[in-house]
Every structure is written in structure tokens, then in C-alpha cells.
Amino acid sequence: MTGKPLAAIVSAGLSRFGKLDGLSAREIFQQAGKEAFDRCPNLDPRKDIKALFVGHMMESTEHQGHTGPMVADWLGLNPIPASRTENACASSGVALRCGIQAVASGLADTVIVGGVEKQTHLPTSDTTEYLALSADNFFEQWHGFTFPALFALIARAHMHEYGTREEHLAMIAVKNHSNGSKNPKAHIQKEITVEQAMTSRIVASPLKLFDCSLISDGASCVILTRPELAKKFADNPVYVLGSGQASDTIGLYEREDLTSLKASILASREAYKMAGIEPKDVDVAEVHDCFTIAELVAYEDLGFCAKGDGGRLIESGETKLTGSIPVNTSGGLKSKGHPVGATGVAQAYEVYLQLTGQADHRQVKDPEIGLTHNVGGHGSTSVVHVYKTSK
Amino acid sequence: MEEIIFERDEKGDILPTIQNFYKFCGQGRLMAVKCTKCNKLLAPPRMLCPSCYSSDLRWIQLSGRGQLRTYSMINIAPKRFASQVPYTVGIVKLQEGISLPGRIMLDKPGDAQIGMDVIVDFEPAQMDGWPQLPRYFFRSVNKTSG
Ligand SMILES: CC(C)(COP(=O)(O)OP(=O)(O)OC[C@H]1O[C@@H](n2cnc3c(N)ncnc32)[C@H](O)[C@@H]1OP(=O)(O)O)[C@@H](O)C(=O)NCCC(=O)NCCS
Ligand SMILES: [Zn+2]
């Protein structure tokens, strides 16, 4: 490892994920904020935190925009600068990167970054429409494409090209539900079988109910500081060694290759290079399984296996909790849930728990290097971070 | 039929915009633009060539024929399409080498196949909201007549 850390995570918080009836986005964000503050007694939020970045995708669901100052206000953090990032489902992965940039540039010593989404109070057909906003309006939304369908197009192409089977996708759902059953904050905490997944109803062929992530409410946050200041706030900070982000076409149809997300390949290579590591060095990873096929493609794009071998990797069991590269120990978007704006930082929360040995029943044995991979839309944004323990 | 009025530049040329693309659909024509400087073919049209930054782009008509690259049949749709489920969408690689997404109308639902031949067709504007424009879609080419 060559990389000098960009920033350190000294605390983290996560709301319960799921259908949080009666709570609005700002109140859900307070749950995440409180956990992060409680976890870090040496931090005086009002004195130490100098900026806030929050990921949030769909203001239409609550008819509430201006998320930055709103959540800062509710956390008692006025008058610090507070900004919202919007990159669809990668909104808070990008917020994290903005926070890292602020800390690494010296603009702010300590910042809070997070994400939030409130979407379960609406009928699925409304949420489906809002989620589709991150695809090309004039050429995808207008013709009735949905997010499950856009990833179904990727799945169909991958099956055709590499012989990937529906069972492979079901195995990913089974693994993530098994991990989620060990996560008390997960939206759905129950195990499922391959058969259950295979026989669930079709949402957008070949993707079925159990290939889809959940429509959830939730919020997440982490507190970042300059590496030199980390020990002031925490005995076992987690260091961010690498950060990569890339963009791709707003329409899926303009891509030469429909079986990988180029933005993920580019973002991960940038993050690996910055961190001075290789894919094989990763001990635990949270990847963007908005659909099971997205996790399978991520195995390949992130270099956990060769192109086309994603099906074989899930079959091998190596991405389970006990495998050589455990993926989505939290349960992932599939089982923990996918409050879209909160997801990127929720991944960082899980990696923080894993690298500090606080992941309880889903703890991986002595991980040193962690990775998060957060995708916006069908890969028009991808953002990857690499983390290391203080050891 | 209502007269179609295109947005034009000061020389009177039809601007390479998305709205004009759909207005051509209203005339039953699937169009792309070609960059006069680097020859790049673009559908959707763009006002600025992303390869060479030229803004001199000329409309050309596409064959409307191509092959299905991938597809999906949708059962859960956004509200404005909910009454139409199940319906099939896909990405079509046109003979000219560029791809467009769209609805795939099939003789029998569920008989789509990667590589199958499709041809463009058009329908009038139907949805609420902005802007009100006609749409293109693809249908399978009947082997005997196609
Ligand atoms: C798959 C989907 C359409 C299902 O929505 P729905 O048909 O309205 O389902 P409902 O909310 O009525 O739920 C019915 C049951 O299925 C369960 N369920 C819903 N979605 C589920 C999912 N993705 N996986 C497993 N179970 C699910 C519910 O918990 C509920 O169970 P219960 O009857 O035991 O309470 C919806 O979850 C979805 O659109 N997911 C994808 C979200 C998305 O696109 N996110 C952005 C990604 S880029
Ligand atoms: Zn050009």
C-alpha cells in the first residue's frame, strides 16, 4: 500500500431501514446523526463540524427540496455550509467524495456526510416513475422504460453473451438475504431459498421480485476528519485511501457494451491506484446490488473475477460471509434496503463497522481493506472508495 | 392533420434538437444527424458534436431497420404506462450502426429474441405532459413480407 490517506472516518450512524411510517426525511436523518454523535463522545458537533454534504435523490416524494440546510438545521448544525448532492442512487456516494475533497483540500477539518430518502409512503407506480428520472427522459422514460427493465436489459445481454443463468441471480439474492437476516437495521431480515427467488413474480423479465432491491426509507451518515486529527476523536478510525468517480452516457442504449458498467471500471481503477492496492487485496466489499445482476456485473467491473465469470464467482461461494471476498455483508440493497439517497454512505457505514470489528453476527474475520461501490442510475455515475483499518 | 412546425436556425435549417427529432417522427421519418466535420452519426441528435465540438450537424434519414440487442417484458410500470402492461422494451441496433431504445411490438407477447429483425413504426402523441410529441416504436419484421 502506497496511498497516503485522504481522510479518516471517526464515526458513523444509520437509521433503521424500511417502511418508516410517520417519519419524514429530516426525522429519519436525525436518527442517523444521533448514532454518529453518540458513538463519538470526543466530538462536539457544533464546534467541530465545519460542513455538511447530504445525498438525496427525489424531493418530489415529500415536496421538500433544499435538503442540505434542512437536515443541518434539524441536527442543530446551523450555520455551517450544508449542500445536497444529487446523482440518483449514487447521491450519497458522491456526498462522501465531496466531504473527502473538502477535508483533503484543507477547506474544512471535520465534516459530516450522509444521505436520506423517504419513498415508502407512495404507491409503487409513483416511486417507479420518480426512480426512472435518472434515466434518459426523452428516449427511455418516454417509452415506458423502468429501472428494473433497464437492468433487465443488462441481465438479458449478459446471459446471452456469457451464459449467466437466472439461478446465478437467485444465488445473489439468497446470499444477501442471509446476510440481511443478521442485520438488525435491515428492511427485510429473513432468509430465502433459491426456489423462492426463482418462483417469485416477474417484475421485468428476466428479473423477478427477488432480483429487485427494496423501496425503503432510511438515512445514513459518517463523520470525516483530516487523518492527522483522527485519533483526537476515535481510537480506531478508518482511513479512506482511495476515491474514484466516473460518468457515462445518460442513455443505456448509447453504450457499446451492455454487459458491464464502464463508469464502475474507471472509478474502481482510479480508487485502486490512489490506494495502491489491487482487487485481490479487498477483504470486504459493499457493492451496488440495486438488482442482483448489478452485483454480478460489479464482481467483474471491480476486478473480483474475470469478465464473464460473475456467475461462477457467486456459485463458488467466495462472496459469502465466510468466503475470501465477502460482498454485501449488510444484506445489500436487496435485503438491507435501498433508500436511494442514503445508500452510498450506508455502504460506508457497513465497511466502517466491519473494519472496526463492530459488525456482530455478520462480522468478517479481521478485515483490513474495505471497498464501497455506489452506482447512479444504470451506471451514468459510479463512485468507488477504498478504506483501511488503523492497524 | 395538424401542421408540424420545426424550430429552425437563422439560415432556416431545422435545428438538431430532440423535439425536432420527434417532429420528424410525426412525419413518419426516423432521423439522425451527421457531423459535417468528423462524420459522426448521432441519434438522438445533438446541437454540439461530442467528438469534435462542431455545431454543423445535418439531418439524414435512417433506414429504420435493425436488430434487437436486448429486451425485457415489463409487468410493473410507471403510473402513466400502467394500463399497458405487460409490454416489451428493448435496444435496437440500426443498420447504420447506432442504437436506439424503444417499445417492441410483437405478434405474440414473449416471443422476442436477441438478434431478431425489427423495423420502425410510428404512433401519434398519446401521453399527457410536456411536450406533446409523436413516438416511434419497433415491431418484428414478418419473415415473409420483410
Ligand atoms: C419489485 C417492486 C416493484 C415490488 O413492489 P410491489 O409490487 O409494489 O410490492 P409491494 O410493495 O406491494 O410488496 C408486496 C410484498 O412483497 C415484498 N417485497 C416488495 N419488494 C420486494 C423485493 N424487492 N424483494 C423482496 N420482497 C419484496 C413486500 O415486503 C411485501 O411483502 P409482504 O406481503 O410480506 O408485506 C419494488 O420493490 C421495486 O420497484 N423495487 C426496485 C426499486 C428500484 O428500482 N430502486 C432503484 C434502483 S436503481
Ligand atoms: Zn464531429
Side-chain angles (χ1 to χ4, degrees):
Chain A
M1 262 150 276
T2 56
K4 176 182 169 301
L6 301 164
I9 300 179
V10 292
S11 190
L14 193 77
S15 74
R16 176 81 227 269
F17 274 17
K19 190 160 166 44
L20 307 181
D21 288 330
L23 295 185
S24 63
R26 65 185 86 174
E27 291 153 349
I28 302 170
F29 197 80
Q30 284 181 309
Q31 291 186 6
K34 177 165 170 37
E35 182 186 337
F37 295 165
D38 287 351
R39 202 186 266 284
C40 196
N42 294 347
L43 177 94
D44 178 348
R46 248 187 291 270
K47 186 171 134 277
D48 294 320
I49 298 178
K50 300 290 196 249
L52 175 147
F53 296 92
V54 61
H56 181 210
M57 179 182 171
M58 301 180 288
E59 70 261 340
S60 315
T61 65
E62 275 191 329
H63 211 75
Q64 174 67 64
H66 222 161
T67 317
M70 175 183 76
V71 298
D73 185 6
W74 244 245
L75 280 188
L77 293 176
N78 281 342
I80 60 165
S83 313
R84 165 185 172 189
T85 54
E86 191 283 301
N87 285 66
C89 309
S91 293
S92 64
V94 172
L96 174 60
R97 190 170 147 95
C98 289
I100 293 166
Q101 287 168 338
V103 166
S105 70
L107 265 182
D109 282 349
T110 303
V111 303
I112 183 167
V113 302
V116 67
E117 209 71 53
K118 173 70 185 174
Q119 48 179 352
T120 65
H121 57 301
L122 298 173
T124 299
S125 61
D126 281 349
T127 312
T128 300
E129 179 141 4
Y130 292 145
L131 288 167
L133 289 179
S134 60
D136 186 338
N137 178 22
F138 299 109
F139 288 84
E140 290 172 338
Q141 294 179 45
W142 261 26
H143 295 260
F145 286 69
T146 61
F147 254 91
L150 287 157
F151 276 90
L153 298 179
I154 294 173
R156 183 77 73 193
H158 203 282
M159 288 169 169
H160 184 76
E161 191 85 15
Y162 298 109
T164 302
R165 298 191 314 271
E166 294 179 31
E167 286 85 350
H168 290 133
L169 303 183
M171 286 175 201
I172 288 178
V174 168
K175 169 181 73 69
N176 291 353
H177 272 281
S178 167
N179 293 349
S181 74
K182 301 179 174 66
N183 182 351
K185 287 189 173 170
H187 186 156
I188 294 189
Q189 298 169 31
K190 66 168 197 251
E191 307 226 17
I192 59 159
T193 63
V194 167
E195 219 224 310
Q196 246 176 303
M198 290 291 289
T199 54
S200 61
R201 64 189 148 97
I202 291 176
V203 174
S205 71
L207 300 185
K208 308 171 201 70
L209 184 68
F210 279 101
D211 290 308
C212 301
S213 57
L214 295 156
I215 293 173
S216 321
D217 305 326
S220 55
C221 69
V222 300
I223 293 169
L224 293 171
T225 192
R226 281 170 47 206
E228 309 85 84
L229 302 176
K231 293 277 164 130
K232 181 178 147 201
F233 297 115
D235 296 334
N236 54 352
V238 164
Y239 294 96
V240 182
L241 290 189
S243 174
Q245 183 182 334
S247 309
D248 202 351
T249 57
I250 192 73
L252 182 65
Y253 56 93
E254 289 208 81
R255 304 196 192 145
E256 205 67 32
D257 181 2
L258 296 171
T259 63
S260 61
L261 302 184
K262 196 169 158 195
S264 291
I265 298 176
L266 296 174
S268 61
R269 295 311 174 268
E270 185 188 358
Y272 289 144
K273 189 163 172 236
M274 208 178 284
I277 66 152
E278 290 178 44
K280 66 169 169 40
D281 299 324
V282 176
D283 299 315
V284 61
E286 290 284 299
V287 313
H288 197 90
D289 59 327
C290 52
F291 300 93
T292 48
I293 182 66
E295 177 167 327
L296 190 138
V297 167
Y299 292 164
E300 302 171 4
D301 291 345
L302 299 172
F304 296 165
C305 66
K307 182 75 210 150
D309 276 350
R312 270 178 288 274
L313 182 56
I314 182 67
E315 230 168 343
S316 74
E318 295 297 342
T319 57
K320 289 185 185 173
L321 273 187
T322 49
S324 58
I325 166 78
V327 173
N328 285 331
T329 60
S330 68
L333 287 49
K334 176 74 241 353
S335 163
K336 180 181 58 180
H338 187 22
V340 287
T343 284
V345 168
Q347 297 174 321
Y349 173 90
E350 177 72 8
V351 165
Y352 174 81
L353 292 189
Q354 288 288 354
L355 295 187
T356 53
Q358 301 182 68
D360 288 333
H361 299 298
R362 57 185 198 282
Q363 181 64 48
V364 168
K365 194 165 175 298
D366 302 328
E368 263 187 52
I369 300 284
L371 175 144
T372 58
H373 161 255
N374 187 200
V375 172
H378 45 51
S380 308
T381 297
S382 186
V383 51
V384 173
H385 286 99
V386 173
Y387 313 78
K388 188 186 176 301
T389 57
S390 27
K391 269 180 272 171
Chain B
M1 209 172 103
E2 220 180 302
E3 198 198 343
I4 296 171
I5 300 164
F6 290 92
E7 288 82 26
R8 293 171 188 272
D9 65 14
E10 55 285 3
K11 293 193 301 241
D13 290 335
I14 296 174
L15 286 169
T17 62
I18 291 168
Q19 288 210 31
N20 283 338
F21 170 92
Y22 279 103
K23 287 178 181 178
F24 277 120
C25 289
Q27 299 182 332
R29 295 200 280 169
L30 187 70
M31 303 289 281
V33 296
K34 193 169 193 168
C35 175
T36 56
K37 202 170 150 204
C38 77
N39 281 329
K40 193 171 173 69
L41 193 61
L42 295 163
R46 300 190 189 202
M47 297 187 70
L48 188 64
C49 175
S51 297
C52 74
Y53 292 128
S54 164
S55 48
D56 192 8
L57 298 131
R58 303 281 162 83
W59 289 100
I60 62 160
Q61 185 162 350
L62 298 168
S63 64
R65 287 176 178 272
Q67 291 182 329
L68 196 56
R69 287 175 71 188
T70 181
Y71 64 93
S72 171
M73 192 163 87
I74 295 179
N75 283 327
I76 297 187
K79 201 176 249 167
R80 55 188 167 157
F81 295 98
S83 65
Q84 299 171 22
V85 296
Y87 57 87
T88 302
V89 297
I91 297 177
V92 172
K93 181 155 194 171
L94 296 161
Q95 278 176 358
E96 291 81 1
I98 50 178
S99 292
L100 278 176
R103 290 283 278 274
I104 313 296
M105 304 296 173
L106 301 157
D107 298 337
K108 273 191 266 117
D111 70 358
Q113 263 182 358
I114 289 181
M116 78 187 240
D117 292 322
V118 295
I119 186 163
V120 79
D121 206 341
F122 302 90
E123 61 185 5
Q126 348 177 292
M127 286 183 314
D128 301 337
W130 174 89
Q132 280 284 312
L133 292 170
R135 268 197 310 178
Y136 68 89
F137 63 89
F138 296 96
R139 56 182 172 76
S140 44
V141 176
N142 186 319
K143 289 275 176 334
T144 47
S145 67

